[in-house]
Amino acid sequence: MANTKSDEHRARIREVRRRLGQEGPPWTRDREADFETVTVPEPDSDQLRDLLISEGVQTVVEVGLAYASSALAIGEALVTVNPPRPRHIIIDPFQGSDWSNVGWDLLRSAGLDSIASLVTAPSSIALPQLLTEGLVADAAFVDGSHRFHEVFVDLYFLRKIVRPGGLIVMDDAGALSVRTAVRYYEQNLGWAMVPGAFPAGTLATVADAEAAPATRCRALRLPDPSFEPPFDEFHAF
């Protein structure tokens, strides 16, 4: 019976994802091609789902909801893994004010509000609170503010929330502000890119005019065990 329910739920999620990909969301902001620009493309979302399934995730933190394409893929992964207590914590302070709750409504239509919770505080406030509550996650997906200092702070707290050896997946990883923030953690804290995580990922033009297009999404594995570098050891990034 449990497997039957899981199969039915997965089919329901896939139908919502199919409609979103083919028809778009029921509401968009009044900006040209906003959904196509903002949302994580369906092939990348599929690869995110498959990556999380291969990791056997039980708890995932997501920064940024918008039109919910990545959130639906994460929900499908959790339902497929079918752990005893799946959790999907989504942080988006603008889901109501800027997005008219369209992403959350899509998750509800897929029946994912049973495992997902929406935190409407800024990530700089929500992530420390989750850490204080003792949350331990298997993975995180980061698609919030792309300002360098805010990406850096998101990653600072997520490395304390995501378990050693867990994954942090970045959207828009080629953006100069995002990849500069990530570079610090690679150079100084042992984060390592997961090769082949997005083998057919969407290519995006990076900020450097001379640089070749880069895969939009990038997965990084945290070291196991976690460590803190010596005070006098620093690698420029």
Side-chain angles (χ1 to χ4, degrees):
M1 179 65 71
N3 286 338
T4 300
K5 285 186 176 180
S6 178
D7 290 343
E8 291 174 351
H9 195 183
R10 190 160 56 247
R12 180 179 175 183
I13 297 165
R14 287 177 176 171
E15 175 58 20
V16 174
R17 292 190 64 208
R18 184 195 66 79
R19 291 201 310 268
L20 180 62
Q22 293 183 359
E23 303 170 13
W27 176 93
T28 63
R29 297 185 301 180
D30 187 19
R31 301 180 185 181
E32 184 177 357
D34 191 59
F35 171 68
E36 294 79 3
T37 302
V38 169
T39 198
V40 179
E42 189 173 2
D44 301 80
S45 294
D46 285 345
Q47 291 174 91
L48 172 63
R49 173 203 61 199
D50 295 344
L51 175 64
L52 296 179
I53 291 172
S54 70
E55 292 288 309
V57 296
Q58 301 186 47
T59 299
V60 180
V61 176
E62 182 171 14
V63 180
L65 177 55
Y67 296 113
S69 59
S70 56
L72 288 163
I74 292 168
E76 184 180 344
L78 286 165
V79 170
T80 302
V81 174
N82 196 25
R85 289 178 294 276
R87 290 191 69 186
H88 183 190
I89 301 97
I90 306 166
I91 300 167
D92 191 338
F94 306 111
Q95 177 60 198
S97 60
D98 286 20
W99 304 99
S100 195
N101 287 313
V102 63
W104 184 247
D105 288 344
L106 285 165
L107 286 177
R108 291 178 60 195
S109 70
L112 287 170
D113 53 326
S114 61
I115 64 174
S117 56
L118 176 61
V119 182
T120 57
S123 57
S124 58
I125 296 173
L127 289 171
Q129 182 61 43
L130 292 174
L131 179 63
T132 300
E133 293 170 1
L135 177 72
V136 177
D138 300 295
F141 183 74
V142 184
D143 189 17
S145 169
H146 290 1
R147 299 183 183 95
F148 167 81
H149 56 283
E150 291 177 314
V151 178
F152 191 93
V153 169
D154 285 348
L155 299 183
Y156 173 84
F157 285 107
L158 284 170
R159 72 177 284 263
K160 295 174 179 289
I161 291 171
V162 175
R163 61 172 174 77
L167 293 180
I168 294 181
V169 181
M170 309 298 298
D171 186 33
D172 295 319
L176 182 59
S177 55
V178 175
R179 59 192 174 96
T180 302
V182 169
R183 188 66 177 160
Y184 167 80
Y185 293 90
E186 290 179 302
Q187 291 288 90
N188 291 277
L189 291 167
W191 294 21
M193 184 179 71
V194 179
F198 293 89
T202 302
L203 295 180
T205 302
V206 298
D208 294 345
E210 298 180 358
T215 303
R216 173 170 175 156
C217 293
R218 187 180 185 207
L220 298 124
R221 191 172 300 281
L222 275 59
D224 185 8
S226 181
F227 68 92
E228 295 292 343
F231 284 166
D232 59 352
E233 184 176 308
F234 176 78
H235 300 283
F237 62 101

